[in-house]
Amino acid sequence: MTPRLPFVNMKIAFVGKGGSGKTTLSSLFIRHLASTGSPVIAVDADINQHLGAALGLDEDVAAELPALGARLPFIKDYLRGSNPRIASADTMIKTTPPGEGSRLLRVRENNPVYDACAREVELDGDAVRLMVTGPFTEADLGVACYHSKTGAVEMCLNHLVDGRGEYVVVDMTAGSDSFASGMFTRFDMTFLVAEPTRKGVSVYRQYKEYARDFGVALKVVGNKVQGQDDLDFLRAEVGDDLLVTVGHSDWVRAMEKGRPPRFEILEETNRAALRALQAAADATYEARDWERYTRQMVHFHLRNAQSWGNEKTGADLEAQVDPGFLLQESVTATA
């Protein structure tokens, strides 16, 4: 009898206080995954768009990346497909769940959304797909919130089915802003980057409290840890949620100057930390619960529909829910 391979498919978020180093750590993790040959989609969902530069792109090139937020009508139209419960793309909001007839996204495939919104980034001979929400522009001031842009990310995650050995890594907006939508429930693992300071761990406490009732897997990555006192502080504040710590890195310093050396010469202590992150994320595959994942998606859609969506679109968005639809890997064969 052929042994069953582990079903490892991961959506991973990096969160933390502004300035904690979450973008740097998410970029290192993305590089690590790429170096293992794993298919990776990297998403910059932070209001400060720095992930492209952290992955080695020139600042001017990173600034020209196609913005998901600017292509939301196209994304809606594609994902809607032939779903009879959605009257038009104009009635779709960030939480609109897929149903029979919806188009779904896969990590490894080519599709019009990736063609329009993703760009391949080469990393020492390996490559990842990078997608960005786009910056908060002067035209947005006073008339929009940043969540109107990250809504494109949430919609894509709601329609994405990841398979064995595939990874989606999202650099989230700073602080607790992630809880302004249901996107915080879209991940198999959330890594919270915390400095060994009171402010650094305050975001952890807030995130832990908000996520408690939603089964969010949360681990803390201690950053800028300089000695035993820093380590003891983090252990006392976050307990068993502390997974690994990261200290000074000459490799990171060179990268931040725009001169990243080859990733293979990253310090072994930091490479070991990245391996630990991957192991912790991969270990959650046994807990993947597609029924809960779909139920939470519907929960937040109904809340948004009732609080503002129905009024804004002039449609009954609660009727968009397909009660017989379960988002899981097998649905891609017929979707």
Side-chain angles (χ1 to χ4, degrees):
M1 182 176 179
T2 302
R4 186 174 183 270
L5 293 174
F7 186 73
V8 181
N9 46 84
M10 291 291 115
K11 297 184 182 79
I12 299 164
F14 279 80
V15 300
K17 181 180 71 68
S20 64
K22 67 180 181 60
T23 297
T24 297
L25 282 168
S26 60
S27 72
L28 289 176
F29 188 61
I30 290 164
R31 288 177 185 270
H32 164 73
L33 293 175
S35 72
T36 68
S38 301
V40 181
I41 292 179
V43 183
D44 192 345
D46 194 353
I47 192 170
N48 297 306
Q49 299 270 278
H50 296 311
L51 184 58
L55 291 174
L57 293 183
D58 181 84
E59 293 282 358
D60 293 335
V61 173
E64 294 300 318
L65 291 170
L68 284 163
R71 290 160 176 80
L72 187 53
F74 169 77
I75 295 171
K76 288 180 178 181
D77 190 61
Y78 177 79
L79 296 178
R80 174 188 171 224
S82 60
N83 187 332
R85 295 176 177 273
I86 303 176
S88 71
D90 291 338
T91 65
M92 294 178 72
I93 61 175
K94 62 185 180 180
T95 55
T96 297
E100 187 68 30
S102 296
R103 291 192 180 102
L104 302 177
L105 305 174
R106 293 298 300 260
V107 172
R108 298 174 191 262
E109 71 179 2
N110 294 317
N111 59 54
V113 172
Y114 294 160
D115 291 343
C117 305
R119 293 295 179 266
E120 191 170 274
V121 178
E122 190 273 333
L123 300 171
D124 294 343
D126 303 301
V128 301
R129 276 176 169 151
L130 174 62
M131 304 172 76
V132 303
T133 58
F136 199 67
T137 65
E138 186 174 338
D140 297 318
L141 295 176
V143 297
C145 72
Y146 192 65
H147 304 111
S148 64
K149 297 181 181 295
T150 58
V153 178
E154 184 169 357
M155 184 170 289
C156 287
L157 291 176
N158 281 345
H159 289 75
L160 189 146
V161 182
D162 42 331
R164 181 180 294 121
E166 300 170 348
Y167 296 86
V168 180
V169 181
V170 182
D171 181 19
M172 297 283 280
T173 192
S176 58
D177 284 354
S178 306
F179 291 95
S181 73
M183 191 158 66
F184 73 96
T185 66
R186 301 298 84 198
F187 304 103
D188 298 284
M189 174 60 75
T190 297
F191 291 125
L192 189 144
V193 181
E195 300 170 83
T197 64
R198 285 188 296 175
K199 287 184 178 180
V201 298
S202 65
V203 173
Y204 158 77
R205 293 196 189 96
Q206 198 172 26
Y207 214 103
K208 182 85 169 178
E209 177 65 22
Y210 287 161
R212 181 184 57 191
D213 296 331
F214 293 93
V216 174
L218 179 67
K219 289 295 182 183
V220 174
V221 182
N223 194 28
K224 305 177 186 178
V225 174
Q226 298 182 6
Q228 189 63 43
D229 185 63
D230 286 347
L231 180 58
D232 291 343
F233 175 83
L234 285 173
R235 283 176 172 163
E237 295 294 328
V238 307
D240 292 340
D241 284 339
L242 180 63
L243 179 63
V244 294
T245 62
V246 179
H248 173 79
S249 170
D250 291 333
W251 193 99
V252 170
R253 181 61 61 87
M255 180 269 289
E256 291 175 339
K257 292 177 179 177
R259 301 192 296 269
R262 291 190 63 80
F263 185 68
E264 64 190 17
I265 68 171
L266 179 72
E267 300 88 355
E268 175 53 31
T269 54
N270 292 325
R271 292 179 68 86
L274 296 174
R275 290 193 295 269
L277 295 185
Q278 183 180 7
D282 288 352
T284 65
Y285 82 86
E286 294 180 350
R288 170 65 71 90
D289 184 343
W290 287 108
E291 191 279 330
R292 184 182 71 182
Y293 190 82
T294 305
R295 184 177 68 250
Q296 289 178 339
M297 187 191 322
V298 169
H299 167 77
F300 282 103
H301 179 64
L302 294 178
R303 287 182 59 178
N304 278 270
Q306 293 161 5
S307 64
W308 62 271
N310 289 343
E311 182 178 357
K312 181 177 180 179
T313 64
D316 178 12
L317 302 188
E318 296 165 66
Q320 293 178 340
V321 176
D322 184 344
F325 184 85
L326 179 63
L327 185 66
Q328 56 187 328
E329 188 178 24
S330 61
V331 300
T332 59
T334 56

